Amino acid sequence: MTTLGENYSRADGPAKLRGWAQFTADIEVAGVVYAKVLRSSYVHARLLRVDASKAVKLPGVVAVLTRDDLKAMNSHFGPVVKDQPVVALDRVRYVGDIIAAVAAEEKDIAEEALESIEVEYEPLPAVFDLREAMKPEAPIIHPDRVKAQSFPAKSGFRLETGSNVLSMYHVDDGDVEAGFRESDEIFEDTYSSQKIQHGHLEPHAALAYWEPSGKLVVYTSTQNPSLVRAQLADLFDLPQSKVRLIVPYVGGGYGAKTHPRLEPLTARLARKAHPPVQWVLSREQVFLTAHCQAAIVRIKTGEKRDGRIVARRVEAAYDIGAYALTSTNTGRNGGEVSGGPYRIAHQDLTTYCVYTN
């Protein structure tokens, strides 16, 4: 109680106010080179040819990373489902999907090198609407996807295959149809929300290098260093003790920096380039990298005239975009809380995570 009414300064206040605080983009190490990436201009297409031979020969270019570098090694990552390649392999799945990365002594040299990379596409049918993506006849965005780890039968969580539905979460309690029959009033509505960007002031950034001992060191703006370290260790087949993550001040994240984004590519490019590699996104690229899922939610609620909620059925679908990332957890969390903070005797709650382009 002695702290009430007192004014206390934030421990990090002086450093931030005076500009002393170091963020990931501020980190300087000897010999650092700079990464830029080539992104797809097609929303969905098969990659027929990726030719970086001209980029490699450009003076000042240290390394170029394409799908050819990933054929004999781990190429995919993801917190639950490993469906995101470090760079695109057989196809691109949204405008902005990464096809190649260049490390160069200067940023403008890296940009110039990207322009010399030749890519040949074969356009594929795309799907943008969440409802259309769930239909059996919709173009399949991940046709070769296999199920990830299994989950306990009682968890209500199931990974799907053979469609654009990635996962389904379902829980029920009581008899929802009986609950509706007991209700005096029934309300049914459908709600929708759009995709949003988190709006953090600091863009995504990472800097990676490999020590002579084989240890990977990564400076990164992340909210969850333990998860990112585990993903990197898995990607490079290393014990976690061989991966060190250093997190300077983080200029906002709000969920957009909770799992690997830039780190896998930066580390892979640094292994090929040898000197440290720094990659900082532009604001436009931030919008192509992270977003919250759009959703369509249908809610049916039965109530008594005294205000008691008797029954509720919820069916929600989340538009997760081209890759799973942490959407499976989002879908499960959304399902768990969709009944609200009420005592409802009869509930039927279902959520779906759905791929789109």
Side-chain angles (χ1 to χ4, degrees), residues 260-289:
R261 295 286 191 179
L262 276 59
E263 300 88 356
L265 187 150
T266 308
R268 185 68 78 184
L269 188 57
R271 171 166 273 189
K272 184 175 183 181
H274 300 301
V277 172
Q278 185 190 62
W279 183 21
V280 180
L281 296 189
S282 67
R283 182 57 55 182
E284 179 183 11
Q285 291 175 338
V286 168
F287 273 74
L288 294 172
T289 301

PDB file of all heavy atoms in Angstrom, residues 260-289:
ATOM      1  N   PRO A 260       8.704 -17.616 -35.386  1.00  0.00           N
ATOM      2  CA  PRO A 260       9.698 -17.282 -36.409  1.00  0.00           C
ATOM      3  C   PRO A 260       9.091 -16.553 -37.601  1.00  0.00           C
ATOM      4  O   PRO A 260       8.054 -16.949 -38.132  1.00  0.00           O
ATOM      5  CB  PRO A 260      10.249 -18.651 -36.823  1.00  0.00           C
ATOM      6  CG  PRO A 260      10.022 -19.520 -35.649  1.00  0.00           C
ATOM      7  CD  PRO A 260       8.738 -19.053 -35.047  1.00  0.00           C
ATOM      8  N   ARG A 261       9.736 -15.509 -38.012  1.00  0.00           N
ATOM      9  CA  ARG A 261       9.372 -14.762 -39.212  1.00  0.00           C
ATOM     10  C   ARG A 261      10.596 -14.606 -40.113  1.00  0.00           C
ATOM     11  O   ARG A 261      10.687 -15.229 -41.156  1.00  0.00           O
ATOM     12  CB  ARG A 261       8.824 -13.379 -38.835  1.00  0.00           C
ATOM     13  CG  ARG A 261       7.514 -13.394 -38.064  1.00  0.00           C
ATOM     14  CD  ARG A 261       6.330 -13.735 -38.938  1.00  0.00           C
ATOM     15  NE  ARG A 261       5.069 -13.494 -38.264  1.00  0.00           N
ATOM     16  CZ  ARG A 261       3.886 -13.701 -38.819  1.00  0.00           C
ATOM     17  NH1 ARG A 261       3.809 -14.152 -40.048  1.00  0.00           N
ATOM     18  NH2 ARG A 261       2.758 -13.460 -38.146  1.00  0.00           N
ATOM     19  N   LEU A 262      11.562 -13.777 -39.658  1.00  0.00           N
ATOM     20  CA  LEU A 262      12.756 -13.508 -40.447  1.00  0.00           C
ATOM     21  C   LEU A 262      13.914 -14.436 -40.096  1.00  0.00           C
ATOM     22  O   LEU A 262      14.835 -14.626 -40.896  1.00  0.00           O
ATOM     23  CB  LEU A 262      13.211 -12.061 -40.223  1.00  0.00           C
ATOM     24  CG  LEU A 262      12.554 -10.971 -41.047  1.00  0.00           C
ATOM     25  CD1 LEU A 262      11.053 -10.925 -40.844  1.00  0.00           C
ATOM     26  CD2 LEU A 262      13.176  -9.622 -40.732  1.00  0.00           C
ATOM     27  N   GLU A 263      13.886 -14.992 -38.897  1.00  0.00           N
ATOM     28  CA  GLU A 263      15.064 -15.697 -38.370  1.00  0.00           C
ATOM     29  C   GLU A 263      15.511 -16.895 -39.212  1.00  0.00           C
ATOM     30  O   GLU A 263      16.715 -17.069 -39.448  1.00  0.00           O
ATOM     31  CB  GLU A 263      14.810 -16.127 -36.921  1.00  0.00           C
ATOM     32  CG  GLU A 263      14.533 -14.984 -35.964  1.00  0.00           C
ATOM     33  CD  GLU A 263      13.066 -14.600 -35.896  1.00  0.00           C
ATOM     34  OE1 GLU A 263      12.256 -15.195 -36.671  1.00  0.00           O
ATOM     35  OE2 GLU A 263      12.715 -13.725 -35.084  1.00  0.00           O
ATOM     36  N   PRO A 264      14.591 -17.770 -39.681  1.00  0.00           N
ATOM     37  CA  PRO A 264      15.061 -18.930 -40.462  1.00  0.00           C
ATOM     38  C   PRO A 264      15.810 -18.531 -41.734  1.00  0.00           C
ATOM     39  O   PRO A 264      16.888 -19.072 -42.021  1.00  0.00           O
ATOM     40  CB  PRO A 264      13.763 -19.679 -40.778  1.00  0.00           C
ATOM     41  CG  PRO A 264      12.853 -19.330 -39.648  1.00  0.00           C
ATOM     42  CD  PRO A 264      13.157 -17.882 -39.363  1.00  0.00           C
ATOM     43  N   LEU A 265      15.272 -17.592 -42.490  1.00  0.00           N
ATOM     44  CA  LEU A 265      15.941 -17.187 -43.727  1.00  0.00           C
ATOM     45  C   LEU A 265      17.249 -16.464 -43.429  1.00  0.00           C
ATOM     46  O   LEU A 265      18.267 -16.706 -44.089  1.00  0.00           O
ATOM     47  CB  LEU A 265      15.017 -16.299 -44.556  1.00  0.00           C
ATOM     48  CG  LEU A 265      15.511 -15.924 -45.954  1.00  0.00           C
ATOM     49  CD1 LEU A 265      14.334 -15.721 -46.907  1.00  0.00           C
ATOM     50  CD2 LEU A 265      16.362 -14.647 -45.940  1.00  0.00           C
ATOM     51  N   THR A 266      17.242 -15.574 -42.447  1.00  0.00           N
ATOM     52  CA  THR A 266      18.461 -14.824 -42.114  1.00  0.00           C
ATOM     53  C   THR A 266      19.581 -15.767 -41.693  1.00  0.00           C
ATOM     54  O   THR A 266      20.735 -15.610 -42.109  1.00  0.00           O
ATOM     55  CB  THR A 266      18.178 -13.812 -40.996  1.00  0.00           C
ATOM     56  OG1 THR A 266      17.046 -13.021 -41.345  1.00  0.00           O
ATOM     57  CG2 THR A 266      19.365 -12.889 -40.781  1.00  0.00           C
ATOM     58  N   ALA A 267      19.246 -16.758 -40.881  1.00  0.00           N
ATOM     59  CA  ALA A 267      20.255 -17.715 -40.426  1.00  0.00           C
ATOM     60  C   ALA A 267      20.754 -18.589 -41.574  1.00  0.00           C
ATOM     61  O   ALA A 267      21.955 -18.881 -41.678  1.00  0.00           O
ATOM     62  CB  ALA A 267      19.671 -18.587 -39.316  1.00  0.00           C
ATOM     63  N   ARG A 268      19.833 -19.022 -42.445  1.00  0.00           N
ATOM     64  CA  ARG A 268      20.235 -19.853 -43.580  1.00  0.00           C
ATOM     65  C   ARG A 268      21.123 -19.061 -44.533  1.00  0.00           C
ATOM     66  O   ARG A 268      22.128 -19.568 -45.054  1.00  0.00           O
ATOM     67  CB  ARG A 268      18.990 -20.369 -44.291  1.00  0.00           C
ATOM     68  CG  ARG A 268      19.262 -21.352 -45.421  1.00  0.00           C
ATOM     69  CD  ARG A 268      19.814 -22.662 -44.906  1.00  0.00           C
ATOM     70  NE  ARG A 268      18.781 -23.521 -44.337  1.00  0.00           N
ATOM     71  CZ  ARG A 268      19.021 -24.678 -43.747  1.00  0.00           C
ATOM     72  NH1 ARG A 268      20.278 -25.096 -43.624  1.00  0.00           N
ATOM     73  NH2 ARG A 268      18.054 -25.409 -43.236  1.00  0.00           N
ATOM     74  N   LEU A 269      20.770 -17.800 -44.783  1.00  0.00           N
ATOM     75  CA  LEU A 269      21.584 -16.953 -45.663  1.00  0.00           C
ATOM     76  C   LEU A 269      22.942 -16.665 -45.044  1.00  0.00           C
ATOM     77  O   LEU A 269      23.970 -16.647 -45.743  1.00  0.00           O
ATOM     78  CB  LEU A 269      20.832 -15.652 -45.940  1.00  0.00           C
ATOM     79  CG  LEU A 269      21.414 -14.707 -46.989  1.00  0.00           C
ATOM     80  CD1 LEU A 269      21.579 -15.409 -48.327  1.00  0.00           C
ATOM     81  CD2 LEU A 269      20.524 -13.471 -47.144  1.00  0.00           C
ATOM     82  N   ALA A 270      22.996 -16.480 -43.724  1.00  0.00           N
ATOM     83  CA  ALA A 270      24.269 -16.237 -43.050  1.00  0.00           C
ATOM     84  C   ALA A 270      25.185 -17.456 -43.124  1.00  0.00           C
ATOM     85  O   ALA A 270      26.407 -17.310 -43.232  1.00  0.00           O
ATOM     86  CB  ALA A 270      24.020 -15.872 -41.585  1.00  0.00           C
ATOM     87  N   ARG A 271      24.599 -18.647 -43.071  1.00  0.00           N
ATOM     88  CA  ARG A 271      25.427 -19.855 -43.188  1.00  0.00           C
ATOM     89  C   ARG A 271      26.075 -19.931 -44.562  1.00  0.00           C
ATOM     90  O   ARG A 271      27.234 -20.338 -44.693  1.00  0.00           O
ATOM     91  CB  ARG A 271      24.580 -21.098 -42.926  1.00  0.00           C
ATOM     92  CG  ARG A 271      25.303 -22.396 -43.226  1.00  0.00           C
ATOM     93  CD  ARG A 271      24.601 -23.609 -42.666  1.00  0.00           C
ATOM     94  NE  ARG A 271      25.013 -23.851 -41.285  1.00  0.00           N
ATOM     95  CZ  ARG A 271      24.679 -24.950 -40.599  1.00  0.00           C
ATOM     96  NH1 ARG A 271      23.928 -25.882 -41.156  1.00  0.00           N
ATOM     97  NH2 ARG A 271      25.084 -25.108 -39.363  1.00  0.00           N
ATOM     98  N   LYS A 272      25.346 -19.526 -45.582  1.00  0.00           N
ATOM     99  CA  LYS A 272      25.916 -19.571 -46.927  1.00  0.00           C
ATOM    100  C   LYS A 272      26.881 -18.414 -47.165  1.00  0.00           C
ATOM    101  O   LYS A 272      27.919 -18.575 -47.810  1.00  0.00           O
ATOM    102  CB  LYS A 272      24.798 -19.537 -47.969  1.00  0.00           C
ATOM    103  CG  LYS A 272      25.310 -19.678 -49.398  1.00  0.00           C
ATOM    104  CD  LYS A 272      24.184 -19.766 -50.414  1.00  0.00           C
ATOM    105  CE  LYS A 272      24.756 -19.987 -51.816  1.00  0.00           C
ATOM    106  NZ  LYS A 272      23.692 -20.061 -52.852  1.00  0.00           N
ATOM    107  N   ALA A 273      26.553 -17.233 -46.622  1.00  0.00           N
ATOM    108  CA  ALA A 273      27.369 -16.045 -46.874  1.00  0.00           C
ATOM    109  C   ALA A 273      28.645 -16.021 -46.047  1.00  0.00           C
ATOM    110  O   ALA A 273      29.657 -15.445 -46.452  1.00  0.00           O
ATOM    111  CB  ALA A 273      26.553 -14.790 -46.580  1.00  0.00           C
ATOM    112  N   HIS A 274      28.605 -16.602 -44.830  1.00  0.00           N
ATOM    113  CA  HIS A 274      29.695 -16.611 -43.837  1.00  0.00           C
ATOM    114  C   HIS A 274      29.742 -15.344 -42.981  1.00  0.00           C
ATOM    115  O   HIS A 274      29.746 -15.453 -41.756  1.00  0.00           O
ATOM    116  CB  HIS A 274      31.051 -16.915 -44.483  1.00  0.00           C
ATOM    117  CG  HIS A 274      31.108 -18.251 -45.159  1.00  0.00           C
ATOM    118  ND1 HIS A 274      30.880 -19.435 -44.486  1.00  0.00           N
ATOM    119  CD2 HIS A 274      31.336 -18.593 -46.439  1.00  0.00           C
ATOM    120  CE1 HIS A 274      30.978 -20.443 -45.328  1.00  0.00           C
ATOM    121  NE2 HIS A 274      31.250 -19.967 -46.520  1.00  0.00           N
ATOM    122  N   PRO A 275      29.793 -14.133 -43.515  1.00  0.00           N
ATOM    123  CA  PRO A 275      29.727 -12.971 -42.606  1.00  0.00           C
ATOM    124  C   PRO A 275      28.328 -12.830 -42.017  1.00  0.00           C
ATOM    125  O   PRO A 275      27.359 -13.423 -42.513  1.00  0.00           O
ATOM    126  CB  PRO A 275      30.079 -11.795 -43.510  1.00  0.00           C
ATOM    127  CG  PRO A 275      29.754 -12.233 -44.881  1.00  0.00           C
ATOM    128  CD  PRO A 275      30.029 -13.709 -44.914  1.00  0.00           C
ATOM    129  N   PRO A 276      28.194 -12.020 -40.962  1.00  0.00           N
ATOM    130  CA  PRO A 276      26.864 -11.777 -40.370  1.00  0.00           C
ATOM    131  C   PRO A 276      25.919 -11.140 -41.385  1.00  0.00           C
ATOM    132  O   PRO A 276      26.331 -10.321 -42.210  1.00  0.00           O
ATOM    133  CB  PRO A 276      27.158 -10.826 -39.213  1.00  0.00           C
ATOM    134  CG  PRO A 276      28.613 -11.004 -38.923  1.00  0.00           C
ATOM    135  CD  PRO A 276      29.265 -11.333 -40.222  1.00  0.00           C
ATOM    136  N   VAL A 277      24.653 -11.524 -41.310  1.00  0.00           N
ATOM    137  CA  VAL A 277      23.626 -11.000 -42.225  1.00  0.00           C
ATOM    138  C   VAL A 277      22.549 -10.289 -41.415  1.00  0.00           C
ATOM    139  O   VAL A 277      22.032 -10.838 -40.437  1.00  0.00           O
ATOM    140  CB  VAL A 277      22.996 -12.135 -43.055  1.00  0.00           C
ATOM    141  CG1 VAL A 277      21.802 -11.604 -43.862  1.00  0.00           C
ATOM    142  CG2 VAL A 277      24.027 -12.759 -43.993  1.00  0.00           C
ATOM    143  N   GLN A 278      22.227  -9.067 -41.831  1.00  0.00           N
ATOM    144  CA  GLN A 278      21.145  -8.314 -41.197  1.00  0.00           C
ATOM    145  C   GLN A 278      20.010  -8.122 -42.197  1.00  0.00           C
ATOM    146  O   GLN A 278      20.237  -7.778 -43.360  1.00  0.00           O
ATOM    147  CB  GLN A 278      21.633  -6.941 -40.716  1.00  0.00           C
ATOM    148  CG  GLN A 278      20.565  -6.164 -39.934  1.00  0.00           C
ATOM    149  CD  GLN A 278      20.977  -4.731 -39.676  1.00  0.00           C
ATOM    150  OE1 GLN A 278      21.184  -3.953 -40.608  1.00  0.00           O
ATOM    151  NE2 GLN A 278      21.103  -4.374 -38.407  1.00  0.00           N
ATOM    152  N   TRP A 279      18.787  -8.348 -41.717  1.00  0.00           N
ATOM    153  CA  TRP A 279      17.598  -8.172 -42.564  1.00  0.00           C
ATOM    154  C   TRP A 279      16.573  -7.356 -41.788  1.00  0.00           C
ATOM    155  O   TRP A 279      16.137  -7.763 -40.716  1.00  0.00           O
ATOM    156  CB  TRP A 279      17.040  -9.531 -42.952  1.00  0.00           C
ATOM    157  CG  TRP A 279      15.859  -9.483 -43.887  1.00  0.00           C
ATOM    158  CD1 TRP A 279      15.494  -8.459 -44.707  1.00  0.00           C
ATOM    159  CD2 TRP A 279      14.899 -10.524 -44.101  1.00  0.00           C
ATOM    160  NE1 TRP A 279      14.373  -8.791 -45.412  1.00  0.00           N
ATOM    161  CE2 TRP A 279      13.985 -10.052 -45.076  1.00  0.00           C
ATOM    162  CE3 TRP A 279      14.737 -11.801 -43.567  1.00  0.00           C
ATOM    163  CZ2 TRP A 279      12.904 -10.826 -45.508  1.00  0.00           C
ATOM    164  CZ3 TRP A 279      13.669 -12.573 -44.011  1.00  0.00           C
ATOM    165  CH2 TRP A 279      12.768 -12.088 -44.974  1.00  0.00           C
ATOM    166  N   VAL A 280      16.234  -6.195 -42.323  1.00  0.00           N
ATOM    167  CA  VAL A 280      15.236  -5.315 -41.710  1.00  0.00           C
ATOM    168  C   VAL A 280      14.153  -5.053 -42.746  1.00  0.00           C
ATOM    169  O   VAL A 280      14.444  -4.637 -43.871  1.00  0.00           O
ATOM    170  CB  VAL A 280      15.865  -3.977 -41.257  1.00  0.00           C
ATOM    171  CG1 VAL A 280      14.811  -3.083 -40.615  1.00  0.00           C
ATOM    172  CG2 VAL A 280      17.017  -4.229 -40.290  1.00  0.00           C
ATOM    173  N   LEU A 281      12.898  -5.288 -42.378  1.00  0.00           N
ATOM    174  CA  LEU A 281      11.800  -5.102 -43.318  1.00  0.00           C
ATOM    175  C   LEU A 281      11.434  -3.635 -43.471  1.00  0.00           C
ATOM    176  O   LEU A 281      11.535  -2.847 -42.528  1.00  0.00           O
ATOM    177  CB  LEU A 281      10.559  -5.862 -42.847  1.00  0.00           C
ATOM    178  CG  LEU A 281      10.644  -7.382 -42.779  1.00  0.00           C
ATOM    179  CD1 LEU A 281       9.258  -7.963 -42.502  1.00  0.00           C
ATOM    180  CD2 LEU A 281      11.229  -7.980 -44.043  1.00  0.00           C
ATOM    181  N   SER A 282      10.986  -3.296 -44.672  1.00  0.00           N
ATOM    182  CA  SER A 282      10.330  -2.009 -44.871  1.00  0.00           C
ATOM    183  C   SER A 282       8.911  -2.117 -44.327  1.00  0.00           C
ATOM    184  O   SER A 282       8.413  -3.209 -44.042  1.00  0.00           O
ATOM    185  CB  SER A 282      10.293  -1.662 -46.365  1.00  0.00           C
ATOM    186  OG  SER A 282       9.441  -2.577 -47.047  1.00  0.00           O
ATOM    187  N   ARG A 283       8.230  -0.984 -44.193  1.00  0.00           N
ATOM    188  CA  ARG A 283       6.857  -1.037 -43.684  1.00  0.00           C
ATOM    189  C   ARG A 283       5.947  -1.814 -44.632  1.00  0.00           C
ATOM    190  O   ARG A 283       5.073  -2.558 -44.198  1.00  0.00           O
ATOM    191  CB  ARG A 283       6.329   0.394 -43.487  1.00  0.00           C
ATOM    192  CG  ARG A 283       4.931   0.469 -42.906  1.00  0.00           C
ATOM    193  CD  ARG A 283       4.821  -0.250 -41.567  1.00  0.00           C
ATOM    194  NE  ARG A 283       5.789   0.227 -40.596  1.00  0.00           N
ATOM    195  CZ  ARG A 283       5.922  -0.268 -39.373  1.00  0.00           C
ATOM    196  NH1 ARG A 283       5.164  -1.280 -38.985  1.00  0.00           N
ATOM    197  NH2 ARG A 283       6.837   0.218 -38.539  1.00  0.00           N
ATOM    198  N   GLU A 284       6.156  -1.660 -45.928  1.00  0.00           N
ATOM    199  CA  GLU A 284       5.344  -2.409 -46.887  1.00  0.00           C
ATOM    200  C   GLU A 284       5.544  -3.916 -46.691  1.00  0.00           C
ATOM    201  O   GLU A 284       4.585  -4.697 -46.727  1.00  0.00           O
ATOM    202  CB  GLU A 284       5.724  -2.008 -48.313  1.00  0.00           C
ATOM    203  CG  GLU A 284       4.932  -2.772 -49.378  1.00  0.00           C
ATOM    204  CD  GLU A 284       5.377  -2.426 -50.792  1.00  0.00           C
ATOM    205  OE1 GLU A 284       6.424  -1.763 -50.942  1.00  0.00           O
ATOM    206  OE2 GLU A 284       4.684  -2.820 -51.740  1.00  0.00           O
ATOM    207  N   GLN A 285       6.786  -4.332 -46.464  1.00  0.00           N
ATOM    208  CA  GLN A 285       7.066  -5.752 -46.284  1.00  0.00           C
ATOM    209  C   GLN A 285       6.523  -6.277 -44.966  1.00  0.00           C
ATOM    210  O   GLN A 285       6.189  -7.459 -44.854  1.00  0.00           O
ATOM    211  CB  GLN A 285       8.573  -5.992 -46.382  1.00  0.00           C
ATOM    212  CG  GLN A 285       9.115  -5.786 -47.778  1.00  0.00           C
ATOM    213  CD  GLN A 285      10.620  -5.900 -47.849  1.00  0.00           C
ATOM    214  OE1 GLN A 285      11.321  -5.743 -46.844  1.00  0.00           O
ATOM    215  NE2 GLN A 285      11.141  -6.172 -49.029  1.00  0.00           N
ATOM    216  N   VAL A 286       6.418  -5.413 -43.953  1.00  0.00           N
ATOM    217  CA  VAL A 286       5.790  -5.824 -42.699  1.00  0.00           C
ATOM    218  C   VAL A 286       4.354  -6.253 -42.957  1.00  0.00           C
ATOM    219  O   VAL A 286       3.878  -7.271 -42.442  1.00  0.00           O
ATOM    220  CB  VAL A 286       5.838  -4.676 -41.664  1.00  0.00           C
ATOM    221  CG1 VAL A 286       4.947  -4.986 -40.468  1.00  0.00           C
ATOM    222  CG2 VAL A 286       7.275  -4.450 -41.195  1.00  0.00           C
ATOM    223  N   PHE A 287       3.658  -5.498 -43.799  1.00  0.00           N
ATOM    224  CA  PHE A 287       2.273  -5.839 -44.120  1.00  0.00           C
ATOM    225  C   PHE A 287       2.186  -7.154 -44.890  1.00  0.00           C
ATOM    226  O   PHE A 287       1.163  -7.847 -44.828  1.00  0.00           O
ATOM    227  CB  PHE A 287       1.633  -4.717 -44.933  1.00  0.00           C
ATOM    228  CG  PHE A 287       1.027  -3.636 -44.082  1.00  0.00           C
ATOM    229  CD1 PHE A 287       1.816  -2.724 -43.415  1.00  0.00           C
ATOM    230  CD2 PHE A 287      -0.352  -3.539 -43.948  1.00  0.00           C
ATOM    231  CE1 PHE A 287       1.263  -1.731 -42.628  1.00  0.00           C
ATOM    232  CE2 PHE A 287      -0.915  -2.544 -43.155  1.00  0.00           C
ATOM    233  CZ  PHE A 287      -0.117  -1.638 -42.496  1.00  0.00           C
ATOM    234  N   LEU A 288       3.219  -7.522 -45.621  1.00  0.00           N
ATOM    235  CA  LEU A 288       3.237  -8.787 -46.351  1.00  0.00           C
ATOM    236  C   LEU A 288       3.686  -9.955 -45.483  1.00  0.00           C
ATOM    237  O   LEU A 288       3.668 -11.093 -45.934  1.00  0.00           O
ATOM    238  CB  LEU A 288       4.189  -8.674 -47.554  1.00  0.00           C
ATOM    239  CG  LEU A 288       3.782  -7.703 -48.659  1.00  0.00           C
ATOM    240  CD1 LEU A 288       4.902  -7.552 -49.666  1.00  0.00           C
ATOM    241  CD2 LEU A 288       2.503  -8.178 -49.348  1.00  0.00           C
ATOM    242  N   THR A 289       4.084  -9.670 -44.258  1.00  0.00           N
ATOM    243  CA  THR A 289       4.704 -10.697 -43.413  1.00  0.00           C
ATOM    244  C   THR A 289       3.817 -11.145 -42.265  1.00  0.00           C
ATOM    245  O   THR A 289       3.846 -12.327 -41.892  1.00  0.00           O
ATOM    246  CB  THR A 289       6.045 -10.164 -42.859  1.00  0.00           C
ATOM    247  OG1 THR A 289       6.902  -9.842 -43.962  1.00  0.00           O
ATOM    248  CG2 THR A 289       6.740 -11.185 -41.975  1.00  0.00           C
TER     249      THR A 289
END
